[in-house]
Amino acid sequence: MKNQAAVNYNDGRFQPVTEKCEGCGRIVEQEEVQYCKSFLYPDAKWKLGFCNMATHAKPEINIIKVRINPLKAAKRASKRK
Ligand code: SF4
């Protein structure tokens, strides 16, 4: 009996990965073409920013610290009442 892979990535449903996917742990290679094992259209995952399942890249989150003067904050709070 022939040993078959559980998923056939080159049956036309899966699109090859894009260059942005390079280095991702979800890439699988079949017949020298790289596919994503999570998504059919890897390019679409990068259209609106970072792919949410990428293992190699994450969006940078900037945490901005805002200094609050406790006296002014108390004044503002008392005015709202
Ligand atoms: S999970 Fe996202 S980044 Fe990784 S290979 Fe798939 S589409 Fe590309």
Side-chain angles (χ1 to χ4, degrees):
M1 198 172 130
K2 196 177 166 191
N3 189 13
Q4 284 190 319
V7 180
N8 183 16
Y9 290 98
N10 66 357
D11 64 2
R13 293 178 303 141
F14 285 82
Q15 297 292 309
V17 294
T18 68
E19 58 191 44
K20 288 176 184 167
C21 296
E22 224 168 84
C24 182
R26 297 184 201 278
I27 291 176
V28 289
E29 201 170 311
Q30 189 173 337
E31 291 171 17
E32 292 174 21
V33 182
Q34 293 185 322
Y35 300 97
C36 172
K37 62 180 169 185
S38 299
F39 300 111
L40 296 174
Y41 307 106
D43 196 29
K45 295 303 293 179
W46 290 94
K47 280 266 173 356
L48 299 172
F50 280 77
C51 168
N52 62 324
M53 293 290 277
T55 62
H56 65 304
K58 298 265 179 262
E60 196 176 301
I61 298 169
N62 290 325
I63 297 169
I64 301 165
K65 282 190 179 171
V66 179
R67 264 191 69 207
I68 297 170
N69 183 331
L71 289 175
K72 285 183 180 177
K75 239 183 198 175
R76 273 196 302 267
S78 67
K79 277 183 188 172
R80 272 188 232 132
K81 286 179 188 170

